Amino acid sequence: MNDRNELLYPREQFYARERRSVPAARRFAGQSLRCWGLAGWVRADDMSLCVSELATNALLHGVPPGRGFLLRLRYDGEAVRVEVHDSGPGLPTAAGQADTVDEGGRGLLLGGALADKWGVTERQLGKVVWAEFETPVVAGVTAARR
């Protein structure tokens, strides 16, 4: 199997509806980056923060009692995609308009500011909140190896 095909395989982990799942998801994301040779990637911290925010949002708003969420990560040589799958009802909205005094609900705004692309996809039961981080290629060398 060549290296290019190996990159296309997603790494995924299921997490229970508990607070310790957020740091565990962040550690898993870091391990995934190391596996793909992206440990020194300039955007690794942004991606890790996004994983934390999306996992926290899933726990607070998207995961019904007795269920959990799936974190799926994919690197295709051009971008890292983060997906958080949950089985809860409804679709998230980005809070944080100027007239809002609510202290919560900023996770999607933060993720949107850090990621190159993000969105929400409905599924039969629940939703997938995703974010993509481009990994520029310069003269055939990824950003992690510059």
Side-chain angles (χ1 to χ4, degrees):
M1 180 170 293
N2 67 37
D3 290 341
R4 178 76 176 154
N5 287 341
E6 187 67 29
L7 295 175
L8 296 175
Y9 289 95
R11 291 178 48 88
E12 57 185 38
Q13 181 70 45
F14 184 81
Y15 295 95
R17 185 179 186 244
E18 52 193 33
R19 187 173 293 194
R20 65 182 175 186
S21 292
V22 173
R26 198 171 45 245
R27 283 190 302 274
F28 178 74
Q31 292 167 353
S32 298
L33 291 178
R34 285 189 294 280
C35 175
W36 294 324
L38 294 173
W41 180 36
V42 67
R43 300 190 69 195
D45 289 341
D46 291 346
M47 196 242 11
S48 180
L49 181 56
C50 188
V51 167
S52 292
E53 290 296 327
L54 295 182
T56 299
N57 283 351
L59 290 178
L60 293 177
H61 308 293
V63 178
R67 296 190 183 160
F69 69 92
L70 175 72
L71 172 62
R72 178 176 291 151
L73 304 168
R74 185 177 59 111
Y75 171 55
D76 64 4
E78 297 177 8
V80 173
R81 182 177 173 103
V82 175
E83 297 178 355
V84 174
H85 300 238
D86 71 53
S87 57
L91 296 176
T93 58
Q97 288 75 20
D99 59 345
T100 303
V101 294
D102 183 17
E103 290 297 317
R106 303 290 195 278
L108 290 178
L109 283 177
L110 182 58
L114 295 173
D116 295 303
K117 300 176 192 174
W118 75 274
V120 180
T121 306
E122 291 183 76
R123 25 179 252 171
Q124 186 170 357
L125 180 60
K127 65 201 145 298
V128 178
V129 182
W130 58 269
E132 288 185 0
F133 297 83
E134 294 174 2
T135 56
V137 176
V138 178
V141 180
T142 65
R145 297 187 182 112
R146 288 197 302 185

